[in-house]
């Protein structure tokens, strides 16, 4: 499989993102919310690079089934354990594609009255956007390719790859 973004490039980018986030959230004890499963590796690298007091929680959504196209129906499989009200919330996503998942999550979290809500996504695929969403911290903007590795899967496979790779058709 072809390496699309190497582990070194990812490492550097996550550190850049952490530096920006750190200046914005120092002393705020933010709640980082990871969308499972894709964000789990990004989340663990990000929180270690941040090196500020923070809390972490996860929720789980699904829309893909076993294909490479979003089904468009987003389902909350597992909710947060942490109350969001009055917290500075940073939603951490692996990749934003159609934007449907992010839009769904933002609406859901916004209803719980966080003190602030921002989004960090390692990857952004704007070519396939169906709903406009704003992402506050973006790692890489990429073309319309299906990628795997660094937490991202195809049908639950390849999450373990340390580099982000392009899945051949
Ligand atoms: P969206 O709702 O279409 O924006 O899709 C968001 C979710 O789809 C992400 O959180 C990923 O789990 C998954 N996804 C989108 N594009 C890719 C990809 O290229 N590789 C692996 N998963 C992807
Ligand atoms: Mg996925």
């Amino acid at each position: 499989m072809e390496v699309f973004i190497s582990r070194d490039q990812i490492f550097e980018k996550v550190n850049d993102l952490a530096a920006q986030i750190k200046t914005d959230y120092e002393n705020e004890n933010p709640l980082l919310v990871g969308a499972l499963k894709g964000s789990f590796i990004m989340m663990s690298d990000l929180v270690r690079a941040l090196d500020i007091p923070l809390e972490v929680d996860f929720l789980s959504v699904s829309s893909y089934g076993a294909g490479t196209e979003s089904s468009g129906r987003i389902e909350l499989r597992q909710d947060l354990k942490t109350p969001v009200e009055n917290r500075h919330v940073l939603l951490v996503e692996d990749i934003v594609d159609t934007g449907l998942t992010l839009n769904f999550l933002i609406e859901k979290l916004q209803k719980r009255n966080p003190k602030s809500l921002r989004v960090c996504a390692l990857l952004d695929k704007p070519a396939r956007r169906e709903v406009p969403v704003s992402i506050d911290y973006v790692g890489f903007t990429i073309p319309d390719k299906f990628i795997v590795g660094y937490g991202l899967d195809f049908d639950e496979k390849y999450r373990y790859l340390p580099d982000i790779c392009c899945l051949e058709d």
Side-chain angles (χ1 to χ4, degrees):
M1 226 183 292
E2 195 191 327
V3 173
F4 186 60
I5 305 171
S6 73
R7 63 195 81 185
D8 294 345
Q9 290 172 292
I10 300 169
F11 181 81
E12 221 176 276
K13 186 65 79 176
V14 172
N15 278 286
D16 284 355
L17 290 172
Q20 295 173 48
I21 294 168
K22 190 170 174 164
T23 48
D24 295 344
Y25 286 91
E26 205 134 34
N27 308 313
E28 304 282 13
N29 187 32
L31 175 66
L32 270 63
V33 170
L36 293 172
K37 299 175 192 172
S39 69
F40 80 109
I41 295 180
M42 162 72 172
M43 182 67 114
S44 70
D45 281 346
L46 185 66
V47 298
R48 284 178 290 182
L50 274 171
D51 192 30
I52 56 168
L54 55 80
E55 292 173 29
V56 174
D57 203 348
F58 291 95
L59 42 70
S60 166
V61 280
S62 80
S63 68
Y64 267 55
T68 60
E69 295 275 321
S70 171
S71 69
R73 275 174 288 106
I74 322 288
E75 221 182 284
L76 186 66
R77 290 263 174 93
Q78 189 190 299
D79 205 346
L80 298 173
K81 308 278 187 294
T82 316
V84 152
E85 184 159 3
N86 244 3
R87 297 294 305 266
H88 289 288
V89 175
L90 179 63
L91 184 56
V92 178
E93 263 282 26
D94 51 354
I95 183 165
V96 181
D97 186 18
T98 62
L100 292 166
T101 306
L102 185 55
N103 189 54
F104 171 89
L105 289 175
I106 288 172
E107 279 183 7
K108 191 143 229 102
L109 292 173
Q110 208 61 268
K111 281 189 195 136
R112 300 178 187 176
N113 299 315
K115 199 177 266 176
S116 69
L117 176 59
R118 287 193 192 149
V119 178
C120 173
L122 180 64
L123 299 147
D124 183 15
K125 246 197 269 185
R128 289 175 32 100
R129 201 59 47 68
E130 286 177 28
V131 283
V133 284
S134 87
I135 311 172
D136 303 276
Y137 309 95
V138 182
F140 302 95
T141 301
I142 62 164
D144 183 12
K145 290 173 182 295
F146 198 83
I147 51 162
V148 293
Y150 195 71
L152 289 112
D153 72 307
F154 169 65
D155 198 12
E156 294 303 322
K157 292 187 281 286
Y158 311 118
R159 292 193 197 275
Y160 61 91
L161 297 174
D163 306 295
I164 291 174
C165 298
C166 228
L167 198 68
E168 323 264 294
D169 329 277

